[in-house]
Amino acid sequence: MEIAVDTLKWILACTTSDVPENGGACVKHGDEQIAVFNFTRRNEWYATQNLCPHKQQMALSRGMIGSTGEECEPKVACPFHKKTFSLLSGECLSGEEYEIKTYPVRVIGDKVYIGIKEMA
Amino acid sequence: MNEKQTIVVIGNGMVGYKFCEKLIAKTNAYQVVVFGEEPRPAYDRVHLSEYFNGKTAEDLSMSPAGWYEQNGIKLHLNDPVQEINRANKTIHSLKGSVQKYDYLVLATGSSAFVPDIPGIEKEGVFVYRTIEDLELISGYASNARNGAVMGGGLLGLEAAKALIDLGIKETHVIEFAPRLMPRQIDQPGSSMLQMKLKELGLHIHLNKSTLNIGGDGKIEALEFADETSLAVDMLVISAGIKPRDELAKLCGLETGTRGGIVVNDYMQTNDESIFAIGECALHSGMIYGLVAPGYEMADVVVAQLSEADKSFTGFDMSTKLKLIGIDVASFGDPFINDPDCKTILFEDTNKGVYKRINISNDGKALLGGILIGDADDYNILLQNVKNKIALPENPEDLILGARGGASSEGSGVMSLPDDAMICSCESVSKGAICDAVKLDNITTLDGIKKCTKAGTCCGGCVPLVKDLINGTMKESGLYVKNVLCEHFDYSRQELMDLIRINNVRSYDEALDHYGKGDGCETCKPAVASILSGLWNDLIVKQAPIQDSNDRYLANIQKGGTYSVVPRIPGGEITPDKLIVIGQVAKKYNLYTKITGGQRIDLFGAHVNDLPNIWEELIEAGFESGHAYGKSLRTVKSCVGSTWCRFGLHDSVSFAIEIEERYKGIRSPHKLKGGVSGCIRECAEAQAKDFGIIATDKGWNLYVCGNGGSKPQHALLLASDIDKETLVKYLDRFLMFYIKTADPLARTATWLNKMEGGLSYLKNVIINDSLGINSQLEEEMQGLVDSFHCEWKEVVQNEELRKRFVHFVNAPEEKDPSVNFDPMREQVKAKEW
Ligand code: SRM
Ligand SMILES: Cc1cc2nc3c(=O)[nH]c(=O)nc-3n(C[C@H](O)[C@H](O)[C@H](O)COP(=O)(O)OP(=O)(O)OC[C@H]3O[C@@H](n4cnc5c(N)ncnc54)[C@H](O)[C@@H]3O)c2cc1C
Ligand code: SF4
Ligand code: FES
């Protein structure tokens, strides 16, 4: 039996000043498009897939971020039809079945790194 | 099977209708036949004046079409009853019907009392009672400059307001008594009211007895007993009402010496099978000229006919009205005086507020009072009187509000007993309303109206109903205020005030001080719009709080590309500029289309091409068209007097002027305008947020029109005004909208929700009833002066330009997922 082990590969995405405060930007990684969010207000960074699963639009990086609920769950709203997604779990918060991929983010100095899972 | 007994109702007015409605809700044991003299089914006479504000006869109708048939009621319209034969129990109508009855209900109402003054028959003299009267008045008013109303009572002042609304330049009110509304308010109250009405341009003449109406065939002047006279082109008589008791008299029913059909506590006349209800009935020497007691009478008769027990024992005559934006109310016993009670008076001539409350000598109960200028407390004071609620320790708190120390607990709505009557027209108690909220989860005013009928008649209790809904929700932990979103506990207007007063300049500052959490896609753009409405700062400086469209200064479209819409003011464009648009479109492979707003939209631009595209357009003299913003879109024009053979003035130049003036200004929703050169209206100005139409004397200004999913025509705000005045009005109107509308409410929706509707708006904009016009004008000028083309700023600023990329780590690359399909020699976005 073979056990697939997930390992994280950290790729250099951009510099901190590339992403507007409290906004997002899109990073190209091969054929993948990744949305990174600079949540300055909470001093946090998030990354998700850029593709909105609703109408397959490459748009989430242009969405507005914010929070919802007592727990202040961080979220992003797609600019097309305002479906919202959790930045933590990727779950669609507008009551639909969609889910988006999320990625861990690390900031070292002024460099932003995104963790990509690779099969080992 | 027994034949059903027949009830004949004479009169299909408000009370006659309500009788039918209440009867069929209780029993179907009768065949009901109704005879009405007017040509249409019963309508809401109380709101008759709204006919001048654009309501139609259908809007005012009391029942939906087909209601009578559906309920098996035979309705004869346009067919007055001419005779009652009590011996045979039949009635005879003008058109020749003879109808047998077992019971007869007289609901013939009243007519306007017309005093016997020589000349009263002249052309140009009107009464104010039916839709037909209003049609005649408005037809005549278009040729009248001066008008007068005879009678300074409740109805007279309402008629005076209608004359102002109809555009009469100079309106007079002639009152015989030494004060206005003599039945409702006292002398100092009347003086205060008079002062406020004068400010609004009404001319009030008290102590005037009219001796003669002069003029050759048509009215030209009023001549008074004090040997003065007044030139007028028309007169509306509102000197009181005269109960319609002529049928009753004819058939020998007992009537009062001063009119009215005498009834007992069961609303029975001296013939026990004949009842009289509403304004024609005389009960204990009293004619009730209001609708709520009439409904109560209808209820009493229904009780008799359905074997229930109910009698009429008099009715509270408290009233509240908003006259030309001025609150006037009197309740309980307004006139009772020392030594029978103690009175507390409050007068503020500066603000035009007068309040009086009468308190029992032991200081425990409120007996009545008068409120002028500010009647917010009317409902609750009235409830205090009716329910004999114990007064607070300092009763003056009731009219002054608690000033520090303990709050005025105890006089609030929620402390009323459950059986307190909130809506007296429809007899709905506090308990019924609270139950609907608590048990049926109905939390909107419309819902409560539908479910309990409260507030559907005169509307006077609506504020109280709203308070009850909110109070009950709060008690059940359900309270939802009209707040922006979960992050801000304020309405847009409240937040705007806070931001202005505290000079807040950024979203984060606003969130830190007045909000919680981290914001969302609802409050961010709302605050962005507030900030730019107040300070007109550059949108891109706080890009991430803007709706995506504002953030990229373009509308995102299917497939993720953007559209480019340069401003083409008034739709006028030179051939050279047209060529530039063509060249740019070709170079960047953009789909071009003429829009519905008289300009050109270029679709399919990659985000990283946007700055380059705009650079070329700006070079050629174009500016941003703000197609992406909640701001002015287009001012559509027709060609006007420069070319059109019918054009009265130069509509294109005016449209350009207006578009240039308001371009770029942020508002709660987008704004559109139109200017037509004559009434053929080729610019469709009346479908816009503001519309301007040339007349031979100047321009007419229309406001609050809307296309979109719920089209609505704009309403006339002012007519025959010059350009300068028009721009002044428009400045005020737009600024008032920007400051008070909810987020994403177009002007039409905003007006629909505005209490007092168009006449309130007119008073604010034209008569400065809120005293804010110079401020509004100043603020608007501030916005106009701080205009900047957003795209120009971006094009010239390397830092800002850098934002327009798809990949931060590969700025030159375009989004590979963008795909086009060919179509008619251009491209279109790939299907989703
Ligand atoms: C291009 C155009 C259609 C066309 O091909 O002609 C258009 C296109 C859009 N309209 Fe429109 N409307 C266009 C004229 C109109 C008109 C007609 C008019 O202005 O004379 C109306 C009805 C009139 C009115 O607004 O009262 C109109 C009523 C709407 C509405 C509904 C507004 C409402 O109050 O109900 C929306 C939705 C909204 O704004 O929330 C809308 C929204 C939109 C949006 C912005 C939808 C979106 O978010 O993508 C479209 C994007 C345009 C773009 O990418 O540039 N559009 N839209 C027209 C552009 C006019 C211009 O030059 O600026
Ligand atoms: C402009 C205006 C504003 C008002 N504002 C208010 C207000 O704010 N609050 C308030 O409480 N009240 C107000 N009123 C008064 C209110 O409208 C009346 O109290 C109410 O309409 C009385 O109803 P009714 O059915 O008794 O009479 P009406 O509504 O007058 O109906 C009587 C009907 O009987 C018909 N009729 C008469 N004789 C015959 C016949 N022989 N055969 C057939 N039909 C006949 C008449 O044509 C009429 O249609 C206002 C009235 C006016 C005119
Ligand atoms: S009508 Fe609908 S589909 Fe057509 S442009 Fe306007 S918003 Fe788009
Ligand atoms: S495409 Fe994202 S919500 Fe529709």
Side-chain angles (χ1 to χ4, degrees):
Chain A
M1 194 173 73
E2 245 185 22
I3 299 174
V5 182
D6 287 346
T7 55
L8 276 184
K9 184 179 157 207
W10 293 94
I11 60 148
L12 173 63
C14 55
T15 63
T16 47
S17 61
D18 282 340
V19 188
E21 292 193 357
N22 293 307
C26 174
V27 171
K28 179 178 158 78
H29 172 61
D31 287 341
E32 222 172 329
Q33 296 198 16
I34 303 174
V36 263
F37 300 99
N38 176 4
F39 214 140
T40 333
R41 190 178 169 78
R42 301 161 63 118
N43 209 6
E44 285 163 4
W45 287 78
Y46 296 97
T48 67
Q49 69 186 51
N50 192 32
L51 187 78
C52 175
H54 175 227
K55 291 281 184 187
Q56 313 299 318
Q57 300 292 301
M58 283 297 185
L60 291 179
S61 60
R62 299 178 204 170
M64 243 180 279
I65 56 174
S67 71
T68 181
E70 290 296 314
E71 308 285 304
C72 283
E73 174 143 359
K75 62 169 189 173
V76 58
C78 173
F80 275 86
H81 311 99
K82 298 275 158 72
K83 309 258 179 231
T84 55
F85 301 90
S86 162
L87 292 173
L88 292 175
S89 65
E91 180 198 348
C92 177
L93 303 170
S94 328
E96 253 131 324
E97 288 295 296
Y98 312 120
E99 197 182 302
I100 57 170
K101 231 199 287 184
T102 58
Y103 304 80
V105 186
R106 222 188 243 175
V107 178
I108 300 171
D110 69 341
K111 305 270 185 297
V112 182
Y113 298 88
I114 297 175
I116 312 274
K117 274 180 200 160
E118 287 202 331
M119 299 294 215
Chain B
M1 216 178 72
N2 274 345
E3 276 257 314
K4 280 187 179 180
Q5 289 197 310
T6 302
I7 299 176
V8 172
V9 182
I10 306 184
N12 186 226
M14 297 186 76
V15 174
Y17 165 78
K18 190 55 75 173
F19 168 78
C20 297
E21 189 190 284
K22 285 177 187 268
L23 183 77
I24 58 165
K26 273 272 163 61
T27 165
N28 61 2
Y30 300 95
Q31 168 67 49
V32 182
V33 185
V34 180
F35 284 84
E37 172 191 64
E38 294 187 62
R40 62 187 101 239
Y43 54 87
D44 184 353
R45 210 177 298 286
V46 168
H47 293 105
L48 192 61
S49 299
E50 290 178 18
Y51 187 73
F52 289 137
N53 294 337
K55 285 241 166 126
T56 61
E58 286 84 75
D59 294 335
L60 290 175
S61 175
M62 306 275 302
S63 56
W67 183 86
Y68 296 89
E69 297 94 88
Q70 277 155 26
N71 290 291
I73 296 173
K74 253 190 229 146
L75 177 63
H76 299 262
L77 288 177
N78 227 339
D79 193 10
V81 172
Q82 295 204 298
E83 193 196 329
I84 302 170
N85 185 328
R86 285 168 57 197
N88 297 341
K89 286 196 157 188
T90 52
I91 62 97
H92 301 254
S93 81
L94 179 72
K95 291 186 184 161
S97 294
V98 178
Q99 172 70 50
K100 238 190 118 30
Y101 67 84
D102 296 291
Y103 294 101
L104 186 61
V105 177
L106 297 170
T108 47
S110 62
S111 53
F113 167 71
V114 180
D116 193 10
I117 298 171
I120 202 101
E121 72 297 336
K122 292 200 165 118
E123 196 186 315
V125 179
F126 303 91
V127 295
Y128 198 79
R129 178 93 199 165
T130 64
I131 290 187
E132 283 68 30
D133 293 335
L134 267 62
E135 281 168 348
L136 292 175
I137 291 174
S138 77
Y140 203 83
S142 52
N143 293 318
R145 243 191 78 81
N146 309 329
V149 173
M150 187 180 290
L154 198 147
L155 282 186
L157 293 178
E158 184 164 326
K161 164 175 177 257
L163 288 188
I164 294 182
D165 286 349
L166 281 172
I168 297 287
K169 296 260 153 38
E170 206 181 291
T171 303
H172 300 263
V173 174
I174 317 290
E175 170 59 51
F176 180 76
R179 64 174 195 262
L180 292 168
M181 299 181 62
R183 283 155 179 255
Q184 287 89 10
I185 65 179
D186 58 5
Q187 190 63 51
S190 163
S191 308
M192 188 69 75
L193 178 60
Q194 197 181 343
M195 188 187 92
K196 299 212 83 178
L197 292 173
K198 256 189 197 154
E199 278 170 18
L200 298 179
L202 264 185
H203 304 264
I204 314 271
H205 309 264
L206 300 174
N207 284 315
K208 284 273 180 199
S209 146
T210 312
L211 288 188
N212 187 41
I213 294 173
D216 185 12
K218 63 173 199 247
I219 180 170
E220 283 162 18
L222 295 174
E223 290 153 20
F224 305 113
D226 59 8
E227 299 192 340
T228 56
S229 71
L230 180 71
V232 291
D233 304 325
M234 66 187 293
L235 174 69
V236 177
I237 302 212
S238 180
I241 55 173
K242 192 164 122 275
R244 305 265 316 251
D245 57 7
E246 64 272 12
L247 271 181
K249 265 197 189 124
L250 212 63
C251 68
L253 292 177
E254 191 186 334
T255 56
T257 41
R258 295 169 62 203
I261 308 166
V262 175
V263 291
N264 60 18
D265 285 355
Y266 301 103
M267 307 319 291
Q268 258 166 341
T269 63
N270 58 324
D271 177 332
E272 62 179 32
S273 49
I274 304 184
F275 300 88
I277 54 177
E279 280 189 352
C280 64
L282 183 67
H283 178 267
S284 296
M286 176 96 179
I287 295 282
Y288 290 88
L290 293 176
V291 70
Y295 284 6
E296 177 73 9
M297 294 176 187
D299 217 33
V300 169
V301 177
V302 169
Q304 311 310 312
L305 296 170
S306 56
E307 285 161 13
D309 184 30
K310 185 162 184 170
S311 60
F312 186 82
T313 51
F315 206 86
D316 187 80
M317 292 295 276
S318 303
T319 31
K320 171 182 163 185
L321 64 160
K322 215 183 188 85
L323 275 170
I324 327 190
I326 306 170
D327 281 345
V328 180
S330 84
F331 55 93
D333 188 342
F335 299 124
I336 183 172
N337 249 322
D338 187 53
D340 301 324
C341 75
K342 296 184 198 152
T343 51
I344 298 178
L345 298 179
F346 170 78
E347 199 176 35
D348 177 348
T349 41
N350 177 37
K351 290 208 179 107
V353 174
Y354 170 78
K355 298 181 179 184
R356 160 180 178 166
I357 50 175
N358 310 322
I359 299 175
S360 62
N361 281 321
D362 61 6
K364 289 210 175 111
L366 182 63
L367 303 176
I370 296 168
L371 305 169
I372 312 280
D374 169 11
D376 286 355
D377 299 326
Y378 165 75
N379 281 304
I380 194 73
L381 290 175
L382 175 60
Q383 294 294 338
N384 269 283
V385 174
K386 284 193 187 164
N387 298 292
K388 307 205 168 54
I389 294 188
L391 288 179
E393 203 179 319
N394 303 311
E396 64 272 22
D397 287 355
L398 287 177
I399 47 176
L400 300 177
R403 287 134 300 132
S407 70
S408 57
E409 280 288 327
S411 53
V413 267
M414 294 313 286
S415 64
L416 295 174
D418 265 357
D419 58 1
M421 197 53 75
I422 302 297
C423 172
S424 30
C425 300
E426 297 286 348
S427 319
V428 187
S429 67
K430 174 194 165 199
I433 295 169
C434 296
D435 281 353
V437 178
K438 265 188 294 208
L439 306 179
D440 303 330
N441 248 326
I442 299 172
T443 53
T444 61
L445 179 63
D446 284 344
I448 293 290
K449 281 183 171 174
K450 224 182 246 158
C451 152
T452 66
K453 292 206 144 203
T456 51
C457 182
C458 74
C461 62
V462 164
L464 209 51
V465 174
K466 279 192 198 154
D467 288 349
L468 278 176
I469 300 177
N470 286 341
T472 315
M473 285 169 70
K474 215 186 233 164
E475 278 187 357
S476 347
L478 277 172
Y479 187 57
V480 206
K481 206 169 124 197
N482 179 20
V483 298
L484 272 188
C485 67
E486 61 175 288
H487 303 106
F488 286 95
D489 257 337
Y490 299 99
S491 68
R492 181 181 189 273
Q493 197 180 345
E494 288 166 340
L495 194 59
M496 185 162 200
D497 287 340
L498 286 171
I499 289 180
R500 183 187 38 248
I501 294 162
N502 299 301
N503 196 23
V504 172
R505 296 285 172 156
S506 74
Y507 173 78
D508 275 344
E509 229 181 306
L511 188 61
D512 288 342
H513 287 87
Y514 311 111
K516 54 173 188 274
D518 305 307
C520 68
E521 67 284 1
T522 305
C523 58
K524 285 184 172 184
V527 171
S529 143
I530 291 175
L531 289 171
S532 40
L534 285 172
W535 320 123
N536 216 3
D537 275 346
L538 192 57
I539 286 279
V540 277
K541 282 205 200 131
Q542 297 188 49
I545 61 164
Q546 310 294 341
D547 242 329
S548 166
N549 287 344
D550 259 332
R551 179 165 165 200
Y552 291 98
L553 301 174
N555 286 326
I556 194 167
Q557 290 303 350
K558 214 166 156 178
T561 60
Y562 287 85
S563 67
V564 172
V565 190
R567 188 165 291 291
I568 300 180
E572 184 186 84
I573 185 164
T574 61
D576 281 338
K577 280 187 160 175
L578 269 178
I579 289 168
V580 172
I581 289 189
Q583 285 167 338
V584 169
K586 245 174 141 169
K587 177 164 167 193
Y588 294 94
N589 192 30
L590 306 175
Y591 165 86
T592 57
K593 175 178 187 300
I594 312 279
T595 71
Q598 294 191 331
R599 49 189 187 173
I600 300 171
D601 203 337
L602 314 168
F603 293 86
H606 285 276
V607 67
N608 47 2
D609 283 340
L610 284 173
N612 299 334
I613 293 174
W614 276 105
E615 187 162 26
E616 293 185 30
L617 290 171
I618 285 167
E619 182 79 358
F622 285 103
E623 279 180 343
S624 165
H626 299 97
Y628 45 82
K630 301 292 174 233
S631 55
L632 182 74
R633 295 293 163 85
T634 61
V635 178
K636 190 170 170 176
S637 76
C638 74
V639 61
S641 62
T642 49
W643 293 95
C644 175
R645 66 199 156 115
F646 293 114
L648 294 169
H649 311 301
D650 182 358
S651 43
V652 181
S653 299
F654 201 13
I656 295 175
E657 197 181 303
I658 297 279
E659 186 162 339
E660 295 282 4
R661 182 170 181 79
Y662 301 117
K663 66 187 177 189
I665 289 171
R666 302 287 153 154
S667 44
H669 206 312
K670 60 192 176 192
L671 287 166
K672 298 177 178 185
V675 184
S676 279
C678 82
I679 195 57
R680 284 169 194 77
E681 248 283 69
C682 301
E684 298 172 302
Q686 289 166 100
K688 309 291 183 205
D689 297 277
F690 56 89
I692 301 167
I693 302 178
T695 69
D696 47 7
K697 298 191 201 77
W699 305 87
N700 282 354
L701 174 59
Y702 295 79
V703 292
C704 301
N706 199 175
S709 57
K710 261 197 166 153
Q712 190 167 315
H713 274 143
L715 300 172
L716 184 62
L717 184 79
S719 38
D720 297 331
I721 50 180
D722 57 27
K723 269 186 170 178
E724 210 172 86
T725 314
L726 193 144
V727 170
K728 202 161 67 184
Y729 286 176
L730 210 45
D731 277 4
R732 297 173 183 172
F733 165 73
L734 292 174
M735 205 61 218
F736 189 47
Y737 164 66
I738 290 174
K739 292 177 74 164
T740 61
D742 284 333
L744 301 184
R746 286 288 292 268
T747 54
T749 323
W750 171 66
L751 180 68
N752 293 346
K753 281 198 196 157
M754 191 182 292
E755 229 177 280
L758 181 67
S759 35
Y760 177 75
L761 184 63
K762 269 190 189 168
N763 273 304
V764 174
I765 304 300
I766 300 176
N767 302 324
D768 202 7
S769 59
L770 299 179
I772 54 171
N773 282 350
S774 50
Q775 187 195 345
L776 293 178
E777 284 169 35
E778 230 168 79
E779 286 169 335
M780 179 53 87
Q781 195 57 46
L783 293 182
V784 170
D785 292 340
S786 57
F787 170 79
H788 36 241
C789 170
E790 289 146 358
W791 267 112
K792 198 165 177 182
E793 314 255 348
V794 171
V795 165
Q796 293 168 349
N797 180 326
E798 273 317 309
E799 275 310 300
L800 293 176
R801 272 183 99 127
K802 265 182 30 197
R803 302 246 187 94
F804 292 81
V805 295
H806 185 70
F807 296 117
V808 267
N809 56 347
E812 303 300 320
E813 275 183 52
K814 302 210 151 98
D815 179 0
S817 72
V818 167
N819 280 303
F820 302 109
D821 285 334
M823 186 188 59
R824 289 187 295 276
E825 296 167 58
Q826 299 200 64
V827 290
K828 66 169 186 174
K830 213 175 167 57
E831 273 317 308
W832 3 64

